[in-house]
Amino acid sequence: MNKPATVDVALAREFGLTAEEYGRVLTIMGRTPTLTELGVFSVMWSEHCSYKSSRKWLRNLPTTAPWVIHGPGENAGVVDIGQGYAAIFKMESHNHPSFIEPYQGAATGVGGILRDVFTMGARPVANLNALRFGSPENPVTRRIIDGVVRGIGGYGNCVGVPTVGGEINFHPAYDGNPLVNAMTVGIARTDKIFLSAAAGVGNPVVYVGSRTGRDGIHGATMSSAEFDEDALSKRPTVQVGDPFIEKLLIEACLELMATDAIVAIQDMGAAGLTSSSVEMAGKGGVGIDLDLDAVPQREPGMTAYEMMLSESQERMLMVLRPDRTDVARRIFEKWELDFAIIGHLTETGHIVVRHKGEVEADIPLAPLADQAPIYDRPATTPVPPAPLEPVHAPLSLDAMLLQLVASPDLCSRAWVWNQYDSTVGGQTVRRPGAADAAIVRVDDTDIALAVTTDCTPRYCQADPKTGGAQAVAEAWRNITATGARPLAVTDNLNFANPEKPEIMGQFIAAIEGMAEACTVLDFPVVSGNVSLYNETRNPDGSTTAILPTPAIGGLGVLENAAHAIGLGMQDGKDVVLLGATLGALGQSIWLREILGREDGPPPAVDLAAERRNGDFVRTEILAGAITACHDLADGGILVGVAEMVMAGGIGCELDSPDSGIRPEAFWFGEDQARYLACVDDGAALCARAAAAGVPARIIARSGGQDLILPSGVTISIARLKNAHETFFPALMDAR
Amino acid sequence: MKAAIVVFPGTNRERDMALALKRVTGVAPRMIWHHETDLDGLDLVVLPGGFSYGDYLRCGAMAAHSPVMGAVRTFAAKGGHILGVCNGFQILTESGLLPGALLRNADLRFLSQDCYLRVENDQTPFTSRWTKGDVFRTPLAHGDGNYTADPATLERLEGEGRVAFRYASATGQVKADDVASNPNGSLNSIAGVLSENNRICGMMPHPEDLVDPLMGGEDGLPLFEGLVEAVVR
């Protein structure tokens, strides 16, 4: 970026600040800010860093539970998983960069979320990714999938953290704005958790990791505006990742964390040196002096503005005990990483930035944080969709099933998973596709984590409150279906332009639904990220908003990893349907894929039923009665059965429903709070379910190599799999 | 068995390998930083998987010039046992301790999946717990696993029984042009090769990731059990 000449309201606007916000800057400073100071204010007050549109509403989310050690406000959420260990986890978006430059956008998304987790002292043990792409028919989609998948694999595989789960949806609403939400889970001892609040006037401020270059300047500001036709010209604002350096950084930081040298530590993420130094000093209530001449630099001639705003990757900022700097320096030299003392803590309460003998910035930290704008933006309450008129199946049951399992949202993701190393670390108990949540054992213990990401954006579009609740409930179910106890969630709230009342209304309603579900299910939000302005301006002046997508990353724990069960059908079992089936076809995949319609209300979420049914299922799994389990979601019962059959390589014969519901509604309705379970004695399970108030019925008996429909029509596993596994290779490998 | 694992910058499967070795020896193996050169008293040196130096040059090319590799060469010359897995295999070929080279996977994408290996020579310390023709399952995870060698080298390897493992179907069928059973396109479906004295073995797949029923099976365990038996004197 060329250095502009004068700092004024016009330049402030270019930096993303409104005139009113710039006025506030002038009041705080009592003078015209320098260019560097304006840069600091603009990134700290950007939507990305300040959450100015969302903060008011995020407060409505429940964030506490007896097992929560650190909720939102730290680099990641921390929960107690027993035996002296904590799970540290967070999900974060890299949506805008991934559209502009899919490989680097996705790769640096993975790198950034890894740093949020290991900066707290955790060894990262699992990565997940929640991805949303545009229509498969859009030629751009193929290029974006290719880059995003290669980027996630290229980074995660190299750093040696297994990628064990995630989800993928397609919808034209993401054509110009794909979503890449990356989640990392790490493990630390509960007594060795590192925080970011700086302390100790005079203590050295140390920079480690990669050198600072001119990449990513104003990335946080870019993420805080909608896209226009010029989006691709913003490629220079996308950072470039180096997973090899990240791997060294992980090992060096963990080695240093085993000593007592670190007072505080934070990664340099969005807004780089600015946000890390401002936040560390601000949280600690101290001042900070930075000498930019000491910052390791990739190229000569960088200005203070550029260094403070750079988003070069793989960098960390630490406050060390002064008597331990040599110990720390030796560790980073061993790992061949830059190590530089670039400043110290002061009692001024200001951030003072010096470069080449000049004071380039001198900003009081308290007002920078306390007077950050917060908006209560106008919002319109979403209008509930009209009920779905009666619909009728145009095809036979077997034809519809084959079409559904082959559809983009339900087909096999193996083409994607097979490019991610899911076994490195040697602790992956259940790999992608083997269970409703991935299962990763904690080294040196019997404990295992169950992790998943979930959201059904088409439900959120139709009814944001129900959709928000459903996303939480589905994550909770997926963890439950493995036998694990759900503990907490991280969220990644992807929405369009919050300055539009209908979008703000979606946001508020989705949070309301999430909050209700988190409360009833004892599943608090411990970390998260908000990504707004996911909206594309079309050449004709109209805009395309993404579907509201509050992605939920759920985490649960099993005291004994050996108790985890998968979803694959087992031979010679009764297959029991648990939970009530009403035949909800509104917003179903069936309605969209078979009838080409996206209407009606999403299935109702009955949180009391979720809790009751899920607690029953988990108890039966841990008692050893249920030996395979699959939660029911997209595609309903028949798709769920087919998924179990394909995963287990064992067929089953379905009973006639006799439910009083039309067959397509029974088999493909997406009622919530339901599970399919393999048990030896279905009648006994049904009796126990009845006693617990959980609707249950035997719907099939497993065995053989075919899925046999009630009509007697037979579909071989081979035929199901052939339909299921075609989409991705056909789309991506076509020459 | 006194075993050690060499750690290069970018190595990332050393912990998996340590779990497997500890499983058969009962003790945690020594970790050797790539600057160290003292391998005295060791029975087995393992070069584990990962992305040494980021694989930014040819995979394994930088690591092959690490200080520790001089010591590994001396260790090999004295008849020491060496196992190289994945990036470790690439380092062994780059060091000239094993013949051939590993090219980019045939379909140019990173592959992470289970594969089946057929044991081709059961008269080695790495394969003694199997019988020739046995088939076992193991995960693989690599971008550059497509084994190749010049015709003379290949003929020699095949003639001297120095192919340890071949990619195969679950029932043991080997078909080099079949993507399903030979996923990375390796020449003659070669998944692992041996040195002349059969004491150095390099292989792309990860038997160390399948040594525990909890992780899906123990198919990889015989390799490590056989090693313990062979090197404990």
Side-chain angles (χ1 to χ4, degrees), chain A residues 123 146 150 157-158 160 242-244 247 334-335 415 418-427 429 431 441 562, chain B residues 9-13 15-16 19 33 35 51 53-54 56 108-112 114 139 141 209 212 214-215:
Chain A
R123 177 173 286 283
D146 185 71
R150 282 182 195 275
N157 298 343
C158 183
D242 183 343
F244 171 59
K247 170 67 175 164
K334 170 189 163 188
W335 290 96
W415 183 91
N418 286 353
Q419 297 181 56
Y420 302 153
D421 190 340
S422 57
T423 54
V424 60
Q427 304 289 356
V429 179
R431 298 187 212 168
R441 187 179 61 182
Chain B
T11 292
N12 67 24
R13 257 185 167 85
R15 291 192 310 284
D16 313 41
L19 286 172
W33 185 237
H35 281 309
F51 288 67
Y53 296 93
Y56 291 151
L108 305 180
R109 288 186 187 278
F110 191 94
L111 285 173
S112 169
D114 277 350
D209 278 322
D212 184 341
L214 195 55
M215 308 302 156

Side-chain angles (χ1 to χ4, degrees), chain A residues 133-433:
Chain A
F133 298 116
S135 162
E137 284 81 44
N138 179 350
V140 176
T141 300
R142 184 178 143 170
R143 178 183 69 84
I144 292 176
I145 296 172
D146 185 71
V148 166
V149 171
R150 282 182 195 275
I152 289 168
Y155 208 100
N157 298 343
C158 183
V159 295
V161 176
T163 300
V164 297
E167 56 179 336
I168 300 172
N169 289 141
F170 292 89
H171 195 280
Y174 304 107
D175 271 347
N177 196 130
L179 302 184
V180 174
N181 297 171
M183 172 171 166
T184 293
V185 183
I187 300 291
R189 299 288 311 182
T190 51
D191 57 359
K192 288 290 273 182
I193 291 165
F194 291 82
L195 303 179
S196 56
V201 168
N203 277 349
V205 175
V206 171
Y207 170 119
V208 296
S210 283
R211 290 164 180 238
T212 295
R214 287 189 164 104
D215 48 338
I217 291 171
H218 263 306
T221 316
M222 177 188 75
S223 313
S224 306
E226 66 193 27
F227 270 163
D228 55 25
E229 315 83 279
D230 299 332
L232 292 177
S233 71
K234 291 183 175 159
R235 197 170 276 145
T237 57
V238 177
Q239 315 86 324
V240 175
D242 183 343
F244 171 59
I245 297 293
E246 179 103 337
K247 170 67 175 164
L248 302 183
L249 201 53
I250 293 173
E251 299 303 332
C253 286
L254 292 178
E255 196 171 320
L256 181 61
M257 284 162 169
T259 74
D260 59 354
I262 298 175
V263 177
I265 178 165
Q266 176 155 335
D267 70 300
M268 294 192 220
L273 194 48
T274 293
S275 67
S276 53
S277 57
V278 165
E279 286 173 16
M280 288 177 78
K283 277 185 192 168
V286 293
I288 188 166
D289 269 24
L290 296 180
D291 172 13
L292 297 186
D293 296 310
V295 169
Q297 293 160 51
R298 203 181 292 156
E299 52 191 308
M302 290 183 68
T303 64
Y305 167 84
E306 288 170 328
M307 275 189 266
M308 291 303 288
L309 277 284
S310 163
E311 291 192 3
S312 290
Q313 300 290 290
E314 293 92 25
R315 303 178 301 162
M316 312 283 281
L317 198 65
M318 310 185 293
V319 175
L320 295 183
R321 284 178 49 172
D323 56 339
R324 295 288 189 276
T325 51
D326 286 343
V327 174
R329 186 188 297 277
R330 274 196 293 278
I331 289 172
F332 283 86
E333 280 172 358
K334 170 189 163 188
W335 290 96
E336 297 173 27
L337 292 167
D338 273 303
F339 176 102
I341 297 172
I342 63 163
H344 60 275
L345 300 184
T346 66
E347 51 199 357
T348 62
H350 283 231
I351 177 169
V352 178
V353 178
R354 291 188 174 81
H355 187 221
K356 298 191 166 156
E358 300 281 329
V359 173
E360 294 282 350
D362 184 349
I363 303 173
L365 287 165
L368 178 59
D370 303 341
Q371 293 180 40
I374 176 162
Y375 295 122
D376 183 1
R377 296 198 186 277
T380 50
T381 307
V383 181
L388 187 68
E389 300 297 322
V391 288
H392 298 284
L395 298 167
S396 64
L397 204 54
D398 55 316
M400 293 190 290
L401 174 63
L402 286 167
Q403 192 173 327
L404 287 179
V405 297
S407 66
D409 274 5
L410 292 179
C411 71
S412 166
R413 271 77 179 116
W415 183 91
V416 177
W417 299 330
N418 286 353
Q419 297 181 56
Y420 302 153
D421 190 340
S422 57
T423 54
V424 60
Q427 304 289 356
T428 307
V429 179
R430 301 278 171 179
R431 298 187 212 168

Side-chain angles (χ1 to χ4, degrees), chain A residues 562-591:
Chain A
H563 294 158
I565 64 169
L567 66 83
M569 190 69 82
Q570 296 163 326
D571 203 6
K573 301 275 185 179
D574 288 337
V575 181
V576 176
L577 169 67
L578 294 143
T581 298
L582 306 171
L585 283 174
Q587 297 299 335
S588 66
I589 287 261
W590 177 85
L591 190 66

